[in-house]
Amino acid sequence: MLTYDSTGFRLDGGPLRILSGAMHYFRTRPEQWPARLAALRAMGLNTVETYVPWNLHEPRPGAYTRLDELPAFLDEAARQGLWAIVRPGPYICAEWDNGGLPGWLTARVGRRARTSDEVYLAAVDSFLDVLMPSVVERQTTRGGNVLMVQVENEYGSYGSDRAYLRHLADGLVRRGVTVPLFTSDGPEDHMLTGGTLPGVLATVNFGSEPEAAFETLRRHRPQDPPFCMEYWNGWFDHWGRPHHSRDAADAADTLRRMLAAGGSVNLYMAHGGTNFGTGAGANHADPPFNSTDWTESPYQPVTTSYDYDAPLDERGGVTEKYELFRAVLAEFAAAHPEQARYLDDRVPGPVELPPVLAARSVELTDSAPIPFGAESVHPVPPAFEELGIEHGVVRYVFDVPADRPELPLTVEGLHDRAAVRVDGKRVAELARGVAGEPLTAPGGVTLELLVDSLGRVNYGPGTGDRKGITGGVRHERQYLHGCRVAAFDLLAPLPPLQFGTEGPLARGEFTLDATGDTFLAVPGGRRGYLWVNGFLLGRYDDRGPQTTLFCPQPLLRTGSNELLLLELGDAAPRSVELRDRPEL
């Protein structure tokens, strides 16, 4: 059993320094888990940590999916000689869409999310009732490998509803959690007073100055051991900004200081992976929480890549940071063998990866229109959530009344991008928070807005934002009513497509004698989505910094493979390129 006091952790009576690395099962394919987890163990870690994204597992109320993945991941971690830390939310941040909260729920409860509101808690409890049994049966207290379970996440950065936190903690215990519960927050006074609970282990998240962070934790929780639950050794990227990186030697020095200070650690991230599909989140720089000096918009969507400049790169390859971290951890294990304990006594081998496919170009030979569902009519433009979709492409059509001059057009609450057509002619592109050229239209025309969504804000007061046209469309001061709407749900299985020679969907096929990893680029593409053999790989965007999408070997097959591209910008790409290296 794992216990702790101010001096550290003990497992089954012996001292234990928790040496953990974050790797999210939902950001890697199951076929990749063994190699990634083996690489964590080979780095010198004894534990893996993962979040659980609620919105992935309950995309619609009561409709649960992919619940077998977390227990399978925990079992694979045990096979690879790793203990596990589970962070089930309900909120996770993680640069994941809506911080893991389902969009259908936050649309319903609004600012009552992450509080003791009855409607919100009823949904939370229903989800945890379904999720937690597989975690409970894998606890170390039952012979499994789960060491600890988190209560909420960084709540001190958001709220102060202690009754909510207590409800979650008591609920986890009631569902059978007997390993230590913990909270994690920034090393700030107001965060540690708002996000912690008496009797629940408190941990801190930071990227530098471990001595100061642990001292702040000690002032608030002198009975708890020093534990950095998120050591930010890299960082994530936003579209349109440079790729983040951190000097490997500096990161290794901070890790060494953390261990010298007596701390346990969880590397965030050890392996970042990929925001497949529509999983990427966003930030919103409402002052004073962030600066907007470096961006054209306060809305900052996260890229498909979640490389994070982690020790293992997006493909799972070893980096300089990995080698330096491995040296630091080996140094610690040699000096403190009684604390650097492991689940078993294996000697890990070298990290092995699939081959990388040779570079080639795949011609896009067929086109198809977007497969919208049935059209419906609404007095005002409905948000995506009102249409029952989390992410997609929605066509909004208005008839502008006749007998009036050319007047300004205003789209209120656009979340997040729109292509504007007047009488079928594309006249503008709009983006959330970006000031564009003034838009006008005369009377008697048909106005069409093709709107697609990027990530929901995952951190801070902007969490829970809705998608689509969340305000209205005005012709001068007058709202346009009687909106005709048709939707394409990106999270639903692809319907049959009617291929011909026209439409924003384009298809290409290629043949492989043997599979491997590859990196896909869309020359001439502006922005859109890319599927591989029916799997939605993610978004591409010519703003960068990411100009290739990582396609792991398990998504490909020997023989025929199909690429499907949905281009939503003012472009018509003719090919998709398979490249042999990432471009960030």
Side-chain angles (χ1 to χ4, degrees):
M1 182 174 182
L2 184 69
T3 60
Y4 59 88
D5 58 25
S6 61
T7 63
F9 292 94
R10 301 184 72 82
L11 182 64
D12 299 329
L16 174 68
R17 193 74 68 95
I18 299 175
L19 307 171
S20 178
M23 172 188 156
H24 301 153
Y25 64 94
F26 49 94
R27 282 178 162 134
T28 52
R29 301 299 299 159
E31 298 90 340
Q32 299 171 289
W33 296 343
R36 302 294 189 275
L37 291 166
L40 265 60
R41 177 63 193 271
M43 190 176 9
L45 301 176
N46 58 21
T47 304
V48 63
E49 172 268 308
T50 186
Y51 278 126
V52 180
W54 179 5
N55 54 5
L56 179 73
H57 295 299
E58 193 180 0
R60 290 177 176 79
Y64 298 105
T65 183
R66 299 173 62 176
L67 289 171
D68 58 333
E69 292 186 10
L70 175 61
F73 179 78
L74 296 174
D75 291 345
E76 186 59 43
R79 282 191 288 271
Q80 299 300 330
L82 293 166
W83 287 298
I85 296 171
V86 179
R87 305 169 79 182
Y91 165 81
I92 64 171
C93 184
E95 293 72 60
W96 189 256
D97 184 57
N98 217 22
L101 298 174
W104 56 262
L105 177 61
T106 53
R108 182 187 303 170
V109 302
R111 67 182 189 276
R112 303 195 308 277
R114 302 182 73 189
T115 72
S116 49
D117 173 75
E118 292 183 1
V119 175
Y120 173 73
L121 286 182
V124 170
D125 288 339
S126 294
F127 173 63
L128 293 178
D129 285 345
V130 172
L131 175 74
M132 290 307 297
S134 66
V135 177
V136 166
E137 66 187 29
R138 288 168 172 78
Q139 297 174 101
T140 54
T141 50
R142 300 196 182 189
N145 63 329
V146 175
L147 278 178
M148 306 168 69
V149 174
Q150 180 167 282
V151 179
E152 237 270 356
N153 182 59
E154 295 184 323
Y155 191 67
S157 299
Y158 180 80
S160 57
D161 190 339
R162 285 290 184 87
Y164 165 55
L165 293 182
R166 178 52 63 190
H167 177 94
L168 293 177
D170 290 349
L172 290 170
V173 172
R174 187 174 63 253
R175 292 178 180 89
V177 175
T178 52
V179 296
L181 298 175
F182 69 94
T183 59
S184 66
D185 290 283
E188 305 286 343
D189 291 335
H190 66 293
M191 295 178 184
L192 286 167
T193 53
T196 59
L197 275 175
V200 173
L201 174 69
T203 68
V204 282
N205 303 337
F206 56 86
S208 60
E209 304 302 329
E211 299 85 359
F214 286 151
E215 178 57 34
T216 301
L217 176 64
R218 190 173 296 112
R219 273 195 293 108
H220 287 268
R221 302 296 290 261
Q223 74 278 17
D224 290 348
F227 194 159
C228 178
M229 187 51 65
E230 291 187 13
Y231 167 36
W232 303 320
N233 62 88
W235 205 245
F236 54 93
D237 291 335
H238 294 116
W239 290 115
R241 298 303 302 164
H243 173 58
H244 282 93
S245 62
R246 178 175 178 179
D247 179 75
D250 173 68
D253 178 67
T254 299
L255 176 60
R256 182 179 288 107
R257 290 162 56 193
M258 201 178 305
L259 296 173
S264 289
V265 62
N266 177 48
L267 305 177
Y268 195 96
M269 299 290 298
H271 170 59
T274 305
N275 291 316
F276 293 117
T278 60
N283 293 95
H284 198 281
D286 288 320
F289 305 104
N290 287 298
S291 169
T292 60
D293 292 343
W294 48 266
T295 182
E296 63 180 356
S297 168
Y299 173 71
Q300 305 159 16
V302 174
T303 59
T304 300
S305 172
Y306 199 65
D307 177 86
Y308 209 88
D309 191 38
L312 288 173
D313 65 20
E314 185 175 11
R315 184 174 172 249
V318 168
T319 66
E320 179 190 9
K321 190 177 291 183
Y322 179 98
E323 297 289 7
L324 292 178
F325 279 14
R326 180 163 60 179
V328 170
L329 292 167
E331 175 186 299
F332 173 79
H336 304 279
E338 76 288 354
Q339 296 183 49
R341 297 168 56 192
Y342 295 87
L343 188 58
D344 57 34
D345 58 0
R346 73 182 65 195
V347 178
V351 177
E352 296 184 1
L353 293 174
V356 177
L357 298 179
R360 63 190 293 183
S361 181
V362 178
E363 183 182 2
L364 300 173
T365 56
D366 303 299
S367 297
I370 297 174
F372 291 113
E375 190 171 79
S376 56
V377 181
H378 303 260
V380 297
F384 283 18
E385 294 80 4
E386 295 173 274
L387 297 170
I389 65 173
E390 294 279 295
H391 283 286
V393 181
V394 174
R395 183 180 65 208
Y396 297 89
V397 181
F398 303 84
D399 292 321
V400 181
D403 299 325
R404 59 180 65 191
E406 186 130 349
L407 295 172
L409 277 172
T410 303
V411 182
E412 297 176 341
L414 174 62
H415 292 185
D416 295 296
R417 303 180 296 191
V420 183
R421 287 182 172 85
V422 174
D423 282 345
K425 180 182 178 182
R426 190 177 188 125
V427 297
E429 288 198 23
L430 306 178
R432 178 177 178 178
V434 178
E437 294 295 322
L439 188 60
T440 63
V445 300
T446 299
L447 173 68
E448 176 187 309
L449 294 99
L450 192 65
V451 177
D452 72 298
S453 55
L454 294 170
R456 288 178 178 80
V457 174
N458 56 257
Y459 178 82
T463 306
D465 66 312
R466 297 182 301 155
K467 295 303 177 183
I469 298 177
T470 64
V473 176
R474 288 188 288 111
H475 197 215
E476 206 261 341
R477 74 199 67 189
Q478 184 183 88
Y479 282 103
L480 298 178
H481 292 131
C483 177
R484 302 191 298 279
V485 175
F488 171 39
D489 187 347
L490 284 167
L491 299 186
L494 279 170
L497 301 175
Q498 303 300 316
F499 284 102
T501 58
E502 294 185 2
L505 279 162
R507 178 177 64 180
E509 296 181 342
F510 63 102
T511 301
L512 292 175
D513 295 327
T515 60
D517 292 339
T518 189
F519 301 88
L520 302 178
V522 184
R526 290 281 312 283
R527 58 180 180 85
Y529 299 82
L530 188 61
W531 288 259
V532 177
N533 292 324
F535 178 87
L536 180 54
L537 193 60
R539 302 179 178 98
Y540 65 89
D541 194 313
D542 69 351
R543 291 178 295 172
Q546 175 186 3
T547 57
T548 55
L549 298 185
F550 173 57
C551 178
Q553 183 185 43
L555 297 181
L556 299 171
R557 55 199 179 209
T558 55
S560 179
N561 291 266
E562 181 184 74
L563 298 175
L564 183 67
L565 178 146
L566 173 58
E567 170 62 42
L568 293 171
D570 188 11
R574 303 294 185 183
S575 64
V576 173
E577 292 184 354
L578 280 63
R579 298 183 180 173
D580 57 9
R581 59 179 58 85
E583 296 179 9
L584 284 171

